[in-house]
Each structure stands twice: as C-alpha cells, then as structure tokens.
Amino acid sequence: MALFTSSTRNIPETGEVPQHIAIIMDGNGRWAKKRLMPRIAGHKRGVEIVRTTVKACSELGVEYLTLFAFSSENWRRPAEEVSFLMQLFMLALEREVAKLHNNNIRLKVIGDRSRFEGKLVEMIARAESLTQNNTGLTLTIAANYGGRWDLVQATHRMLEANPDCGQTFKEEDLEPYLSTSYAPEPDLFIRTGGEQRISNFMLWQLAYAELYFTDTLWPDFNTMALKRAIKSFQQRERRFGRTSEQLKKNA
C-alpha cells in the first residue's frame, strides 16, 4: 500500500522522533586508511554499524530507516572493491535476514537490480518475501540506486500504466511509482564522513527533510551519534512553507 504523501502538497504530522530517517553511510574507506588497514576492513566494520543503527532506530520508535549502501555511481570504483561490496552484500543477507525477521523488521531493497548477479537478485527477493508481513521497523537498503534513476523509472512505469497521461500528469500521478512509495518522505537525512552533499540520493523524497551532516565516519557512528542527530532534528522548526508566527498561533 502506498504511504508516500508529498510535503509540497500537504503538511505532514511531525513528532519528536523522526518517522523516517535516511542515511548516506560515508567514510568506511577513510576509517580503514587512518588505521593503516585495507578499505575492505572499513566496509566490514560498516556492516556492524548498520546492525547497531537498525537496533537503535527500532528501540527509539523510528518506523522507517533507509540506508544508501551502493550508488549507481559507485560502479566507478576499483573493480576489486566493487566485487568485494557485492560479496559483502550477499554475506549480510545470508547472516542478517533471519535476525531481521525474528525481530519483526521488514526489509526492502531499492535500486536497479539489472547489474546484479542472478544469485544476489534471488537472495533479495527471498529476503523481501520472508519479511514482507512484518510490522516493526521497515529497513530499506538502496543498492545500485540513484535519485535520477528513480525518477526515470517511475516515469516509465507511470506511462506504461497510463499511456495517455504524458501531457497532463501531476505529482500525485508519479508518486505511486517511486521506489519508496510504500514509505513516507524522510523527516531526517543524515550524512556521515564530513561531506555535505546529497549525492543523487532520494532527490524527490528529500524535498523537506531536515539535513544533518557530521564529520563522524560511518564505522564510528554509534548509538550516541545517532541520538545527537535526532536531538538536532528536535531543535529544528519545521515550517513547510509557513511562517514561525503561524506555527506559534497553531500550537
């Protein structure tokens, strides 16, 4: 069922805890380099932090967590690193999916699967099928994902389903075909590693997300770091186009 609602059309309900957090997990390679270790050691450590973050979000009452694991531009990395990341993805699915299921967590994977090996595609499908009826946290992994890809694929699917809407379609016509149509827009966007850009991640969905950038490298992003990000979120005034005076009047 589509849960996506547009903050440019409707003012969403807000709370102390973000309903949906989206994270770019940056800094694995630099974390390893600082310790004179190979980059793959940083990626391995990064998987451990994913586990910690999922647990913390579930306990804090976050309903949706979306993690940018591998972008459509990451294929430009050295072939051996890309190969390792694909193997790590499969290993994580093998080891973690049963745990997610036992903890009532639903797993979704978004992105273009056409470049993945058949075995990985099958593992993703099985993991999503196993956890599809779980009612706790929804964990989304963005793999071979790009925001522009998402918009293009959504447009193609919309036009395939509604061939005559090409000249007349509106936002609400496109949104059901976005890869995250099952989730509300992110309330909080976090990027670790010191970079301050969105990097082609959820371009449509992040329209009114609060942005939080930290120098903390992903392998060091522990539960306290997550809580600091949420505390920053709680101090923001989310106006959605309105004035501060209007918010105070309606409080």
Side-chain angles (χ1 to χ4, degrees), residues 107-160:
L107 178 66
K108 302 283 285 184
V109 178
I110 59 173
D112 182 2
R113 303 182 192 182
S114 64
R115 292 189 67 173
F116 293 158
E117 293 181 6
K119 180 181 178 181
L120 177 54
V121 174
E122 291 175 5
M123 292 177 70
I124 291 170
R126 287 200 300 269
E128 289 184 323
S129 177
L130 176 66
T131 63
Q132 64 182 342
N133 295 320
N134 291 343
T135 57
L137 174 75
T138 294
L139 170 64
T140 299
I141 303 297
N144 195 23
Y145 174 89
R148 292 182 177 179
W149 165 86
D150 199 357
L151 293 174
V152 170
Q153 69 83 27
T155 304
H156 285 165
R157 291 173 59 210
M158 177 192 68
L159 292 175
E160 183 178 359

Side-chain angles (χ1 to χ4, degrees), residues 6-9 169-176 204:
S6 174
S7 56
T8 60
R9 295 196 313 278
F169 75 90
K170 301 177 182 178
E171 284 186 30
E172 54 265 40
D173 299 314
L174 183 66
E175 285 161 0
W204 183 288

Side-chain angles (χ1 to χ4, degrees), residues 132-218:
Q132 64 182 342
N133 295 320
N134 291 343
T135 57
L137 174 75
T138 294
L139 170 64
T140 299
I141 303 297
N144 195 23
Y145 174 89
R148 292 182 177 179
W149 165 86
D150 199 357
L151 293 174
V152 170
Q153 69 83 27
T155 304
H156 285 165
R157 291 173 59 210
M158 177 192 68
L159 292 175
E160 183 178 359
N162 306 282
D164 298 328
C165 76
Q167 300 297 320
T168 60
F169 75 90
K170 301 177 182 178
E171 284 186 30
E172 54 265 40
D173 299 314
L174 183 66
E175 285 161 0
Y177 300 96
L178 294 171
S179 61
T180 57
S181 62
Y182 55 85
E185 289 181 332
D187 302 290
L188 173 62
F189 164 86
I190 300 170
R191 181 168 186 153
T192 63
E195 304 291 353
Q196 298 189 19
R197 56 178 178 268
I198 295 175
S199 295
N200 195 23
F201 183 43
M202 301 181 80
L203 296 179
W204 183 288
Q205 296 92 328
L206 291 175
Y208 265 99
E210 298 297 325
L211 307 184
Y212 179 85
F213 300 100
T214 174
D215 291 333
T216 302
L217 302 175
W218 177 248

Side-chain angles (χ1 to χ4, degrees), residues 64-97:
Y64 297 85
L65 173 64
T66 300
L67 303 176
F68 204 6
F70 190 86
S71 77
S72 50
E73 291 75 49
N74 284 154
W75 294 102
R76 301 168 182 169
R77 293 189 175 188
E80 61 272 17
E81 182 173 346
V82 171
S83 177
F84 175 80
L85 288 171
M86 293 298 112
Q87 294 299 318
L88 188 62
F89 191 11
M90 287 193 285
L91 184 62
L93 288 170
E94 288 177 354
R95 293 181 175 178
E96 303 297 331
V97 171

